[in-house]
Amino acid sequence: MREGPLAGVRVLELAGLAPGPFAGMMLADHGAEVLRVDRVKAVTDRPRTDVMDRGKQTVGLDLKSPEGVRAFKELARNADVVIEVFRPGVAERLGIGPADLHEINPRLVYGRMTGWGQDGPLAPTAGHDIDYIAVSGILSMLGRAGDKPTPPINILGDFAGGGLMLAYGVLLALFERERTGKGRVIDAAMVDGASILFAMFHHGVQSGFWGPRGTNLLDTGAPMYDTYETADGQFMAVGSLEPQFWDEMVRLMELSDLPDRGDKQQWPALKARLAEAFLSKTRAEWEAVFDGSDACVSPVLTMGEAVDHPHNVARESFVHVGDYRQPVPAPRLLGAPAPDLSPATRLTDLAAWGLDAAEADKLREAGVLA
């Protein structure tokens, strides 16, 4: 059995794109036994082994065949959690929807991961991260003043608003099950998850505290919260929001006679002064200037550089899994056993999941199981 706070929790993860595997990874990182159920051909050709499949096992199953559905139900009979990533109604048509599985396992936590949710006019339609954060209102807030909205890769919808919220929902349902003895269906919609991440800003917009895109304290509008180019074409990140941190930055940069940062009308002039100053040294030189200070100024590292930064090295924030360096699980549970971050493997002990060995052999011969 795997070790960790979720040791003994069995998760069936139906194969899908980023959000579902990310939720499964978060659970596997802390001890859950996660079995990824993929298409037969995908497993036969080459089972997935990327970062989001670490610590998992994988099996191929043809869910469009009655035999494959029966086999999946046997796996679900002995599972604690199912992560399902289809459009609304697809799982029901396959015969593996929540009602189908709760009939044989009332304790099952059934997590449904979609972009639009299980209902509403957009529920049956396709979409991607950019669409979900657009409809949530978030995308309108991202970017610089006078420029078009800028999507921040697919972090807010897929991962933060999707996979992470689903993992959170699974933990809530498992906690509730300890009291009720019954599982629950989780409707994890990326459009909802992304919206809740911006709860503070909904209030800010409605109250008038938060203005148009790129004109505010935290969205590149303010000189004390932005990035600045250095002499070698690199960048430094400034987060000197509080007066004492700002004063420390100004002192270390040897600046004087700056415009009043408390006057928003002076922000453009102040940003110009800072931009000019940062261009006077290389990034490495500025790193030396601010090293150990409370100025809240940091180098903008590439992902390749981040793994070798002294702070990340000291905390062992990245580890090798297979051929790649990967971030360690977060949050850290102090005193807990080190998580199993081994690359994904094929499931070999089907009997441990309740699937009879003889039956498994028949399914393999029929091409239903890989």
Side-chain angles (χ1 to χ4, degrees), residues 109-324:
V109 172
Y110 197 106
R112 316 196 80 167
M113 180 81 266
T114 61
W116 303 117
Q118 296 298 312
D119 53 20
L122 292 176
T125 66
H128 280 296
D129 176 287
I130 193 170
D131 304 299
Y132 312 136
I133 66 173
V135 171
S136 71
I138 291 172
L139 185 54
S140 71
M141 304 176 67
L142 307 178
R144 293 187 178 275
D147 204 349
K148 63 182 181 179
T150 304
I153 317 183
N154 62 325
I155 294 297
L156 291 177
D158 281 353
F159 293 101
L164 189 58
M165 289 296 176
L166 175 56
Y168 174 56
V170 165
L171 296 181
L172 292 177
L174 288 173
F175 185 81
E176 180 189 44
R177 193 181 71 176
E178 292 299 303
R179 184 178 70 254
T180 66
K182 294 183 178 180
R184 181 175 292 280
V185 180
I186 302 162
D187 179 3
M190 294 177 226
V191 67
D192 296 342
S195 292
I196 196 67
L197 292 171
F198 276 65
M200 179 181 80
F201 299 98
H202 276 278
H203 176 265
V205 169
Q206 293 172 60
S207 66
F209 172 76
W210 198 263
R213 175 174 63 253
T215 65
N216 303 281
L217 187 64
L218 301 173
D219 64 356
T220 75
M224 47 279 201
Y225 206 84
D226 204 350
T227 58
Y228 295 90
E229 188 173 358
T230 58
D232 54 344
Q234 304 296 313
F235 293 88
M236 296 294 289
V238 171
S240 309
L241 292 174
E242 292 79 3
Q244 66 272 27
F245 302 149
W246 174 265
D247 291 343
E248 177 74 348
M249 181 191 75
V250 170
R251 181 184 70 81
L252 291 172
M253 295 184 74
E254 301 180 352
L255 296 174
S256 60
D257 300 322
L258 292 177
D260 178 14
R261 77 173 206 153
D263 181 1
K264 289 189 71 171
Q265 300 302 315
Q266 296 295 322
W267 281 3
L270 188 48
K271 291 183 81 166
R273 285 287 304 278
L274 289 180
E276 180 183 18
F278 273 108
L279 282 171
S280 67
K281 298 180 188 297
T282 65
R283 192 187 75 181
E285 290 172 333
W286 283 120
E287 287 183 68
V289 168
F290 292 110
D291 184 42
S293 77
D294 274 346
C296 300
V297 180
S298 304
V300 179
L301 304 178
T302 66
M303 294 185 76
E305 291 172 322
V307 298
D308 294 319
H309 187 275
H311 182 79
N312 295 331
V313 171
R315 285 181 57 80
E316 298 180 341
S317 298
F318 296 88
V319 294
H320 272 99
V321 179
D323 298 327
Y324 301 97

Side-chain angles (χ1 to χ4, degrees), residues 13 17-27 52 56 158-160 163-164 167:
E13 177 198 304
L17 297 178
F22 183 69
M25 183 198 79
M26 294 294 290
L27 300 175
M52 290 184 291
K56 302 177 185 178
D158 281 353
F159 293 101
L164 189 58

Side-chain angles (χ1 to χ4, degrees), residues 1-9 26-33 333 335-340:
M1 179 183 291
R2 292 166 58 81
E3 294 185 311
L6 295 180
V9 174
M26 294 294 290
L27 300 175
D29 278 352
H30 293 292
E33 185 178 350
L333 303 179
D340 175 13

Side-chain angles (χ1 to χ4, degrees), residues 11 108 143 282 338 354:
V11 180
L108 187 69
T282 65

